[in-house]
Each structure stands twice: as C-alpha cells, then as structure tokens.
Amino acid sequence: MANILFNHVYKRYGKYKEIAVSDFNLSVDDTEFIVLVGPSGCGKSTTLRMLAGLEDVTEGDIYIGDTVVNDIPPKDRDISMVFQNYALYPNMSVYENIAFGLRLRKQPKHEIDLAVKRAARVLEIENFLERKPRELSGGQRQRVALGRAIVRTPQVFLMDEPLSNLDAKLRVQMRSEIISLHKKIEVTTIYVTHDQVEAMTMGDRVVVMNRGLVQQVDTPELIYNRPVNMFVANFIGNPPMNFIQGKLQEQDGHLEFHTNRFAIRLAPQHASAIKKHRLLERTVVMGIRPEHISFEPHRMEASPDSIVTGILQFNEFVGSDRYYHIDIKQDRPLVIRASEGFHCEDTSQVSAAINMEKALFFNKDTEMLLTD
Amino acid sequence: MSLFRRIRSSLSHTWSLYRSDFRNMDATQIFLLILLTLLSVFMLLPLVFIFNHAFKPLHELFLFPPTFFVKQGTWQNFIDLLNASQDTFLPVTRFILNSVIVTVLATVGMVILGALCAYPLSKHPFPGRKVIFGVILLSIMIAVETMGIPRYIVVKNLGIMNTYWGHVLPILALPVGVFLLKQFMDQVPNELMEAAKLDGASEWQIFMRIMIPIVTPAMATITILSFQTAWGNSETSALFMQNDAMKTLPFYVESLTSNLANSVARQGVAAAASLIMFIPNLIIFLLSQRKVIQTMAHSGIK
C-alpha cells in the first residue's frame, strides 16, 4: 500500500528533445483509483511507463511511498502492470504465468501454490490453470494477466489500456470486474485509457491529458460538469458539448448572449463572472451539454428568452435516447439529446429551450473556463 | 486376419479422406497437385541415387547407361571404405570421429553465439546496432574463399593449427543464423520482456526463460544450418590441418573423389563415403522439419 507523487516530471524523446510529457504533477492517495485519459499520443502511457520504470524520467522526481524511484529498477519498485496485449508468456501454462514472478523471488513452493490458487479463485480462472495462453479467449487471457498482477500483492497496480483488445460487451463486463477487484484488494491503481466511459466509470479521480500536458485532475462529476477548458469539455461526454460563439451584451438590465442569428438571456448566476472578467461586448464561447437543451413544451414556456430555432438535419437513435442534429446557422450544428418520446420529421423546423443555468462560458482565445 | 482387415480399413479410410479432398478441387488445383508431385519425385531422385549407388557392386557402378536402382546389393563398398585407408595408416573411423567432435562443438557454438548475438540486436536499442547488423548482413554476401588468407594468418597466429579449435573457430560465426533469429525475435512483443522485467527477471532470465523458448522453431533451423555448415566443411582441413590425423570426413571424401579422373578403383568407396556423409543431414532434417517450416513462414522467407 502506498501513495504516489509526481513532482514536475518531464519526458523528452530523441535528438530533438520532443516533449512527450511536460511538467506532470500529481499526488495519488493510498488505495486510490486514478485514471489517466486523453487522445492517443497525449503522454498518458509514457507517464505510466515512467512510473513502472520502463522509461527513464528526463526531469523531476517520482515517489512511491517516501522513496524517489527514478533510479530504482522496475523489479524493485514493488509494482505490477497489466498490458494492452496481455503480454502472457506463450511458452508457459496459466499457472506458470501467474507463478513466474513469485518463483523469481524464490518464494517457497507451497506459498507460491497457495498464492496462485487464491488469485485464480478471485478471478475465476481455476479451471484453466493447466492451459497455455493461446488456448484461452481474450477475456480469459485478460483475467490471467490480472492474476499475474495481483498474485504478488504489489504496492501499486498499473494498467495500460487493459480492455482495448476486448469486444464491447466483454469490455463492459471486465470494467465492472476490475472495479470490484479494486474494492476487494484495495491497492493504489493507475489506469490508462483513451475511452472516456472507462475513465468516468472507474476513476476515483480522472486526469485528462493532451499533448503531454495535464488539463484537469478532478472527480468524474467535476470533470463533466466543470471542465476547466474547451478541450476537456469537448473530450469528455458523448455526444460532446455544443460550442456556440457569440457576444455578451446588456439589454434592459439583463445580460444576453448574442450570435449573428439569435439572442438568449443569461442566468443571473453568470453575472459576477462576466463583471469580473469584463466580458461585456466581448466575444466568448458558450458551452452547453446536449442533455441541457430540451424540446419539452413546459420548459419552453418557462424560459421564453432562451429558445433557439433551427432545421432538424438528422437524428441518431441510440436506444434510450435520440440525438438530434439541428442546423442553427452556426459553425457546427447544435446536438440535442432527448428521450425517445419526442418525435419530429427530418428537415422540419424545431425549437428548443437551452437550460442557461447549466451553460458554461469559455474565453475565446485561451479556451479556459470563465469562473467567478 | 484381423490385422489385415484393420490395415485395409485404415487404408480405405485414408483414401476416402483424399477422395473428399480431390472432390473439392478445381482443374487448376488438380493440375498443380500432379505437377508438384512429379516435381517432388524428381527432387527425390538424387537421394534414391545416393542410397542405391553405395550398395552397387563394381560392375554395376560403371554400367552404361547408368542405372538408378541396384540389382545385386552388396556391403563390399563399406568394407572397402573401412580397409581403404589402412595403407595411409589412418582408418576412416578416425576421420569420422574428428568430424563428429568438430560438428558437435561447432553446432553448439554457432547456435549459442547466434542467439546471444541476435537478442541484443533485436531487443536492445544500443547506439550503432543498425551498423553492426548491416555489417553482419553484408558478410553473408562475401564468399568464404576470399577470406582464406586472412583466416590462415589468424589461425596461425592463434597457434591453433592442427587442433580442433582450428576447425571450429573459423566457422563459428553464422551470419545467416543471426539474421534469422533476429527476424524471429523482432516479432516477440516488447511487452513480454517488460512484463518479465516487472516480474523481477534479470536480463539473463528473460533471455533463457522467455526468449529462447519462444524462438525454439528458429533455433531448430539454426541447428540444421550450423550442422550442415560444420559437417560438410572440408576447407579447414585443407588449410589449417597439416597433420592427417586431424582431418575430417568431408576432406577424406573429397580426396577420394577428386582422384576419380584417372582412377576407377575408389569409385565404390567414394559412393559409400558419400552416403555416410549424407545420412546425418537427413536424420537431423527429418527430426526438425516441422519447426523449420514454421521459421520460414514466420520470417517471411518462405
């Protein structure tokens, strides 16, 4: 059991000192489940591999517990890792795969046997201990990889996109199994993924990264509801947040958001932020999640000042909901998420009410969230 | 009677399997099958010839036109072979013994060296490894004969003339083997090495317990290549062994056959010696054939 600290960690590659990870700071509490998420090439895997000792740290310090581990070889860091392609030893049986680490540490035979059987029981792979990895399905292989990681009861558990090679259904199942496994064994876990659903559902806290830089470290709720910039707002959430560019103006004592086509009234809560940043008569970007726009008549009656009108281009049916893409004569169509009950023909004109209390405003140039 | 019945039923079962295969073939495939069968029979002819020739009595050896199959088989050629060298004071068994010792030493050496060389080239990005690999590839293209003189000087200065080391050392490096093994090791995912590293394995343990078992098919291929190189090598005997007692079987066979132009007496002996030279190759190949085909399929050489 241990906490982890990244202190101004940098990673540069090659001749031209290309930056892969830049000024990474993070403090992970004991038994916490942290998810690193971001698009490919954002440095999340590199960060994990530096913690594992598979990559050198260019600058800064990494602590596991109270020790700086920069120069400690991987095997002495007391960590274990699950890889995307499972990395099971093809020449060994499942049992030997799990036991390998313990054998190398020269543990007595009966202890190894006990530990392997216990891990196998937790992961429900007792029946294929004698098989070779190639005789297993993807999900079973991933369980063996997990077994190999937990059998040593390490201080830290690292997972590098462990579910990416599984099919969608199995991924959902393994996702909940990993969560319950973490609850059971209570080991500090760092989990890397590019899948935002995994990030949101699994992490105690989520680290969103882009181009080697940490964008935001927060609980899934805050990441979703209070993204610090447009990148996070856009990356997390499906379909992503709508962005509309416009100017803030004061009219008859009310604050209004003006685009070239329509104007909507702001909720009173935004007033202080706008005053603080002196944004009146300035161009900003308004962000609004698809589920915070509504076709429901009572909503529209309640807030007649925040209604937008446009042409419905097409809609996507996703089961419980439908996504409506509406052309409101802006850069991008407005996406609205509504329940299945609402029905409307494509290419017809529709109106919808924006829940302005949920709207976020971003600086057009820095793309940062404007806060009080 | 029951045995006969069992054989017949198993034969008819095999035939029905084949028949169902034929039924699914189109004309091109059947044509190819026949063509390839004929070709493989043609490829077998030298083998048939070597085996038959060794057992031919003298008058059959010089028949014209020559025949493939022996009519009156005899062991006389082998007896002659055993007796032949007694007038040079060295029995043929001495050459066979030398060959066995040299071949075992060289084969083991080549396989170990090849694997040790290929592993870092494949999995450890040290500076200059591309250059080193390039040089190794280049050396495949240089004919051995061109290196005769420098080799002679090296062997002489090492003081290993007329020793087994003089046979083994010059052929110990097997660039083709390094190449094959490296290609094979390249396909082993790096994550395997990393997982082993995290499991606590040392570099040597990773090599011995993960890498080598995975590349066994390639190792089998290298073993065959090394064996053939070492077993058929007469050059070191000719260049570095002045002492006849240190020479190897292939040199002896060559010296028997190279005098054939004006000698009819040793024809049968030479045929017997050729067969003895050939048989170990055949055995080794049959034993590891399946693994070799795997390697060829993997390395893209097939």
Side-chain angles (χ1 to χ4, degrees), chain A residues 110-309:
Chain A
H110 63 275
E111 276 180 31
I112 295 178
D113 193 57
L114 221 62
V116 172
K117 297 244 162 89
R118 193 170 50 222
R121 196 159 48 241
V122 171
L123 293 159
E124 294 168 16
I125 48 174
E126 293 148 296
N127 292 334
F128 1 96
L129 281 177
E130 296 314 315
R131 287 200 210 164
K132 287 277 170 67
R134 64 168 174 275
E135 300 164 58
L136 303 178
S137 69
Q140 290 165 342
R141 284 180 207 185
Q142 192 52 272
R143 271 172 223 243
V144 177
L146 284 170
R148 192 171 64 183
I150 63 170
V151 75
R152 283 196 276 118
T153 52
Q155 290 197 60
V156 182
F157 219 13
L158 308 178
M159 303 196 196
D160 192 358
E161 310 214 9
L163 306 183
S164 308
N165 281 9
L166 302 177
D167 62 60
K169 200 164 183 185
L170 202 53
R171 205 178 302 165
V172 175
Q173 186 196 338
M174 286 302 289
R175 198 166 74 199
S176 50
E177 283 188 27
I178 290 179
I179 296 172
S180 63
L181 183 69
H182 177 252
K183 291 223 170 85
K184 223 180 284 176
I185 60 175
E186 294 195 314
V187 172
T188 316
T189 305
I190 310 233
Y191 186 104
V192 164
T193 179
H194 62 260
D195 183 320
Q196 45 150 322
V197 181
E198 277 174 32
M200 300 295 277
T201 51
M202 299 176 89
D204 292 330
R205 281 191 300 156
V206 177
V207 180
V208 184
M209 293 181 75
N210 188 32
R211 295 187 184 165
L213 285 166
V214 172
Q215 306 290 315
Q216 188 170 3
V217 184
D218 253 322
T219 62
E221 290 79 11
L222 282 172
I223 296 262
Y224 190 75
N225 295 323
R226 302 290 295 173
V228 294
N229 59 28
M230 284 171 68
F231 172 81
V232 178
N234 188 39
F235 187 77
I236 301 287
N238 186 30
M241 188 180 268
N242 295 295
F243 294 117
I244 308 167
Q245 222 176 74
K247 214 176 238 183
L248 291 172
Q249 288 176 341
E250 194 162 10
Q251 212 132 33
D252 314 329
H254 294 294
L255 288 169
E256 284 186 349
F257 179 78
H258 284 259
T259 70
N260 47 1
R261 307 284 299 194
F262 57 87
I264 34 184
R265 187 177 289 182
L266 264 59
Q269 74 204 35
H270 294 298
S272 65
I274 288 162
K275 293 244 163 64
K276 183 179 145 203
H277 294 280
R278 298 174 198 206
L279 290 169
L280 273 183
E281 301 299 325
R282 298 258 302 270
T283 307
V284 294
V285 176
M286 181 176 85
I288 185 80
R289 295 246 175 237
E291 62 270 32
H292 296 142
I293 312 172
S294 168
F295 294 119
E296 284 170 39
H298 73 270
R299 276 258 175 221
M300 288 199 258
E301 280 161 30
S303 49
D305 309 319
S306 60
I307 290 177
V308 287
T309 309

Side-chain angles (χ1 to χ4, degrees), chain A residues 49 81 88-89 91 105 152, chain B residues 192 194 196 198-199 209 213:
Chain A
R49 291 168 58 82
M81 186 156 166
L88 299 177
Y89 312 125
N91 52 316
R105 284 177 168 71
R152 283 196 276 118
Chain B
L192 274 185
E194 288 168 354
L198 288 169
D199 263 344
R209 298 177 68 167

Side-chain angles (χ1 to χ4, degrees), chain B residues 115-147:
Chain B
L116 282 176
C117 178
Y119 179 56
L121 282 175
S122 168
K123 288 299 173 196
H124 291 263
F126 58 89
R129 73 166 170 165
K130 279 191 181 152
V131 177
I132 293 179
F133 188 58
V135 171
I136 290 176
L137 281 189
L138 206 64
S139 72
I140 298 179
M141 301 172 202
I142 298 173
V144 186
E145 288 74 12
T146 57
M147 296 182 286

Side-chain angles (χ1 to χ4, degrees), chain B residues 5 7 14 28 52 71 75 77 116 123 168 185 187 199 228 232 235 244:
Chain B
R5 215 172 275 158
I7 291 173
T14 318
T28 331
N52 280 286
K71 288 183 188 117
W75 288 98
N77 292 335
L116 282 176
K123 288 299 173 196
V168 173
M185 287 177 177
Q187 288 162 1
D199 263 344
Q228 287 182 337
E235 200 201 56
D244 277 348

Side-chain angles (χ1 to χ4, degrees), chain B residues 14-231:
Chain B
T14 318
W15 171 241
S16 72
L17 278 180
Y18 272 115
R19 215 171 35 186
S20 72
D21 273 355
F22 286 137
R23 215 173 283 157
N24 294 331
M25 286 180 170
D26 58 30
T28 331
Q29 280 175 313
I30 290 174
F31 170 73
L32 278 177
L33 185 78
I34 293 169
L35 184 77
L36 290 175
T37 310
L38 288 177
L39 256 179
S40 58
V41 168
F42 181 71
M43 295 299 214
L44 265 177
L45 290 182
L47 286 191
V48 176
F49 186 74
I50 285 182
F51 273 96
N52 280 286
H53 211 56
F55 293 99
K56 284 177 187 169
L58 195 60
H59 63 273
E60 273 188 53
L61 284 168
F62 293 100
L63 268 184
F64 191 86
T67 54
F68 257 107
F69 296 105
V70 55
K71 288 183 188 117
Q72 297 168 304
T74 168
W75 288 98
Q76 192 56 45
N77 292 335
F78 293 90
I79 297 164
D80 286 347
L81 177 67
L82 279 177
N83 295 332
S85 35
Q86 272 170 7
D87 36 301
T88 62
F89 304 108
L90 283 170
V92 69
T93 43
R94 172 74 205 191
F95 299 117
I96 294 180
L97 176 74
N98 284 347
S99 262
V100 169
I101 292 174
V102 168
T103 305
V104 168
L105 280 178
T107 305
V108 171
M110 281 191 243
V111 172
I112 292 176
L113 263 188
L116 282 176
C117 178
Y119 179 56
L121 282 175
S122 168
K123 288 299 173 196
H124 291 263
F126 58 89
R129 73 166 170 165
K130 279 191 181 152
V131 177
I132 293 179
F133 188 58
V135 171
I136 290 176
L137 281 189
L138 206 64
S139 72
I140 298 179
M141 301 172 202
I142 298 173
V144 186
E145 288 74 12
T146 57
M147 296 182 286
I149 294 171
R151 262 188 188 174
Y152 182 86
I153 295 169
V154 171
V155 169
K156 183 170 175 287
N157 289 344
L158 282 173
I160 51 174
M161 290 273 195
N162 295 313
T163 66
Y164 287 123
W165 296 116
H167 282 295
V168 173
L169 220 52
I171 59 168
L172 207 50
L174 188 71
V176 181
V178 174
F179 172 74
L180 267 179
L181 271 174
K182 183 190 171 281
Q183 298 307 95
F184 217 80
M185 287 177 177
D186 280 350
Q187 288 162 1
V188 178
N190 288 333
E191 281 87 348
L192 274 185
M193 324 273 111
E194 288 168 354
K197 228 184 261 178
L198 288 169
D199 263 344
S202 65
E203 204 58 64
W204 181 247
Q205 282 166 326
I206 295 175
F207 178 70
M208 288 306 292
R209 298 177 68 167
I210 311 286
M211 192 46 109
I212 293 296
I214 294 176
V215 299
T216 332
M219 297 289 280
T221 313
I222 309 301
T223 310
I224 294 188
L225 283 177
S226 324
F227 177 84
Q228 287 182 337
T229 313
W231 180 252

